[in-house]
Amino acid sequence: MTRFSLNQWTTRHWPMPDLLAGCAAAGVDVGLWREPVAEYGLTRTAKLVQEHGLTVTSLCRAGFFQRPDALEDNRRAIEETAALGAPVLCLVSGGLPEGSRDVDGARSRVADLLAELAPYAGEHGVQLALEPLHPMYCSDRCVVSTLAQALDMAAPFSPTQVGVMVDTYHLWWDPAVWDGIARAGAEDRIALFQVADWVTPLPEGVLTGRGMLGDGCVELRRFREAVDATGYTGPIEVEIFNDELWAMPGPAALDLALSRFAQHVV
Amino acid sequence: MTRFSLNQWTTRHWPMPDLLAGCAAAGVDVGLWREPVAEYGLTRTAKLVQEHGLTVTSLCRAGFFQRPDALEDNRRAIEETAALGAPVLCLVSGGLPEGSRDVDGARSRVADLLAELAPYAGEHGVQLALEPLHPMYCSDRCVVSTLAQALDMAAPFSPTQVGVMVDTYHLWWDPAVWDGIARAGAEDRIALFQVADWVTPLPEGVLTGRGMLGDGCVELRRFREAVDATGYTGPIEVEIFNDELWAMPGPAALDLALSRFAQHVV
């Protein structure tokens, strides 16, 4: 199906060769994650991707700028993205250092590291996708919390080097999100569009509670139309962290995602 | 201690007469909740408050505008607030109706009901405090998610009738919160200031995971200074939903809150 891309974490237990074969058979693109790529082998993964004639829409994820080795690790991630032929590297900025209350400082560090990494990304033909995560992750995962904030942080850089991620799960609640999407399009910053639905109650730790498309309260089609209205014609990645989905066999999860995508997104 | 007010939900299992006696003995104000007030009796509570010479800083909470009986229930809450001699009624707007994806519609309904209620509040000498709740509550508790949004919704009304709540737990992550506080002050909208800290991991349902002052990552003193800088001289309510705190005897919880307040807020 055109524009549909299966983010690997949606079917995280599907072994790499089966995932790639499954996506190729279904005629869909794939978004990969660094950990399973490393486990299977970067070169081996790139080779298999090529053999299947697959398009890798993104590599998830680098960032986590509060870690001491962040610069080096992010450079490696840029190289991995290029090796996979993916145009986009997803960046989750990281939260506050342990025991810190300095959220402004953590945000400054994101700006500083983007300045270091943007040219390196450019040299490798990779666009960094700075991802605003839902504010419930601000302290421990991502101090970038709104689309407007991500666009402000991306502003000093060329859009070919630093764009933003538009993910319905993280942004749906924001009354300013429609203005943000229009602005992101006007500034040519939409690096990637990801979809997942919002369901409650949230589980402990709030990490694995994303909803299958159509199961929650997000106006998914309105988001897709708003993103499209800016001129974005790129892939739409389905990225859902959900224990029930993870318990399903990969092909069944992909089928379900494809059918819900047709029903609720396009 | 001056300006400290104990929000009743911080010590929610402390029986009403003991809570009121405890606050009077400690020389602090109190913020009450409708359910325990109804249980103990509105007239009886008001009488006991008066006998202790206590100041009731607010009544929590009305709102929940998606419910069919919202208008009537909110009118009753305004009357209860006036009967207790409290200046402020806290409003939590409510989330989406069951099965709805219409967040814009839910927000419009908030605006419509505020227009109905504001004059009634004014007649009773009560200020409504529209409270932005953390975006993680947007679908099921409160479609008002940021201070800027709350101020926009309050704008059509007199500040004596509709103000906003500034609660550190809900707002700390927002990069625009400092501008929002300055604006709230300039527009004379700060009805009440509440403090709690942000700690992770969040528990299932994310309702009872608020942190005792100083246990988390919120810049509490910076918030207090920002609120004070607008000219706000009103009470500072300590409102913490936390299972461990609820397991403590009321007097011990109050002592702990007072000591942490001195250490981290004033």
Side-chain angles (χ1 to χ4, degrees):
Chain A
M1 185 182 297
T2 182
R3 301 185 71 190
F4 179 104
S5 177
L6 179 66
N7 183 285
Q8 180 163 28
W9 222 248
T10 302
T11 54
R12 61 179 288 199
H13 302 304
W14 205 359
M16 183 69 84
D18 302 349
L19 166 74
L20 298 180
C23 287
V28 302
D29 298 340
V30 69
L32 295 177
W33 276 59
R34 295 179 70 198
E35 295 80 350
V37 166
E39 197 183 322
Y40 190 71
L42 177 63
T43 312
R44 236 173 126 205
T45 304
K47 187 162 173 285
L48 204 50
V49 161
Q50 204 169 28
E51 285 171 7
H52 281 298
L54 274 174
T55 297
V56 180
T57 50
S58 74
L59 184 65
C60 292
R61 59 196 183 173
F64 295 97
F65 293 136
Q66 82 282 15
R67 294 182 186 158
D69 67 339
L71 187 57
E72 193 184 323
D73 183 64
N74 277 274
R75 283 194 180 125
R76 270 199 308 271
I78 289 167
E79 295 158 13
E80 292 161 21
T81 309
L84 291 165
V88 166
L89 172 63
C90 307
L91 293 189
V92 171
S93 77
L96 295 169
E98 184 69 30
S100 166
R101 294 187 181 104
D102 184 10
V103 68
D104 284 355
R107 286 166 175 161
S108 288
R109 186 163 163 82
V110 177
D112 292 347
L113 278 167
L114 279 180
E116 294 273 357
L117 292 167
Y120 198 72
E123 286 163 26
H124 288 76
V126 167
Q127 184 186 25
L128 305 173
L130 187 61
E131 180 165 20
L133 252 57
H134 194 285
M136 67 188 176
Y137 300 119
C138 186
S139 70
D140 55 2
R141 279 193 179 78
C142 189
V143 292
V144 182
S145 305
T146 67
L147 190 51
Q149 181 194 7
L151 288 168
D152 288 346
M153 296 179 100
F157 310 103
S158 160
T160 59
Q161 295 175 4
V162 182
V164 297
M165 175 80 79
V166 175
D167 185 317
T168 60
Y169 187 77
H170 298 301
L171 303 177
W172 76 274
W173 61 270
D174 186 353
V177 73
W178 311 111
D179 288 343
I181 289 172
R183 177 185 160 197
E187 297 176 358
D188 204 18
R189 296 275 179 197
I190 302 180
L192 189 58
F193 177 40
Q194 292 185 326
V195 288
D197 216 333
W198 178 270
V199 290
T200 56
L202 294 163
E204 186 183 351
V206 300
L207 196 58
T208 60
R210 301 193 194 182
M212 174 47 72
L213 311 174
D215 282 351
C217 64
V218 178
E219 296 174 289
L220 296 168
R221 183 165 284 116
R222 183 181 180 189
F223 262 91
R224 199 264 306 152
E225 288 171 351
V227 168
D228 283 1
T230 71
Y232 177 84
T233 55
I236 305 172
E237 273 193 13
V238 175
E239 186 193 54
I240 303 172
F241 299 5
N242 181 293
D243 287 317
E244 281 177 44
L245 199 58
W246 290 339
M248 290 174 65
L254 173 55
D255 278 354
L256 179 62
L258 275 166
S259 122
R260 293 299 189 86
F261 185 81
Q263 205 178 336
H264 295 282
V265 179
V266 289
Chain B
M1 181 183 298
T2 183
R3 299 185 71 192
F4 179 104
S5 178
L6 179 65
N7 183 286
Q8 180 163 27
W9 223 247
T10 302
T11 54
R12 60 179 289 199
H13 302 304
W14 206 359
M16 183 69 83
D18 302 349
L19 166 75
L20 298 180
C23 287
V28 302
D29 297 339
V30 68
L32 295 177
W33 276 59
R34 296 179 71 198
E35 294 81 350
V37 166
E39 196 183 323
Y40 190 71
L42 177 62
T43 312
R44 236 173 127 206
T45 304
K47 187 162 173 285
L48 203 51
V49 161
Q50 203 169 29
E51 284 170 9
H52 282 298
L54 273 174
T55 298
V56 180
T57 50
S58 74
L59 184 64
C60 292
R61 60 192 182 175
F64 295 97
F65 293 136
Q66 82 283 13
R67 294 181 186 159
D69 68 338
L71 187 57
E72 193 185 323
D73 183 63
N74 277 275
R75 284 195 180 125
R76 270 199 309 270
I78 288 167
E79 295 158 13
E80 292 160 22
T81 309
L84 291 164
V88 166
L89 172 64
C90 306
L91 293 189
V92 171
S93 77
L96 296 170
E98 184 69 28
S100 166
R101 294 186 180 105
D102 185 11
V103 68
D104 284 355
R107 286 165 175 160
S108 288
R109 186 164 164 83
V110 177
D112 292 346
L113 279 166
L114 280 180
E116 295 273 357
L117 293 167
Y120 198 72
E123 287 163 25
H124 287 77
V126 167
Q127 185 186 26
L128 305 173
L130 187 61
E131 179 166 21
L133 253 57
H134 193 286
M136 69 188 175
Y137 300 118
C138 186
S139 69
D140 55 2
R141 280 193 178 77
C142 189
V143 292
V144 182
S145 305
T146 68
L147 189 51
Q149 182 194 5
L151 288 167
D152 288 346
M153 296 178 100
F157 310 103
S158 160
T160 59
Q161 295 176 3
V162 183
V164 297
M165 174 80 79
V166 175
D167 184 317
T168 61
Y169 186 77
H170 298 301
L171 302 178
W172 76 274
W173 61 271
D174 186 355
V177 73
W178 311 111
D179 288 344
I181 289 172
R183 177 184 160 198
E187 297 176 358
D188 203 18
R189 297 274 178 198
I190 303 181
L192 190 58
F193 177 40
Q194 292 186 327
V195 288
D197 216 332
W198 179 270
V199 291
T200 56
L202 294 164
E204 186 183 351
V206 302
L207 196 57
T208 61
R210 301 193 193 181
M212 174 47 72
L213 311 174
D215 282 350
C217 64
V218 178
E219 297 173 290
L220 296 168
R221 184 164 283 116
R222 183 182 180 190
F223 263 90
R224 199 266 304 153
E225 288 172 350
V227 169
D228 283 0
T230 70
Y232 178 84
T233 55
I236 306 173
E237 273 192 13
V238 175
E239 186 193 54
I240 304 172
F241 300 3
N242 181 293
D243 287 316
E244 281 177 43
L245 199 58
W246 289 339
M248 290 174 66
L254 173 55
D255 278 354
L256 179 63
L258 276 166
S259 121
R260 293 299 189 85
F261 185 81
Q263 204 178 336
H264 295 282
V265 180
V266 290

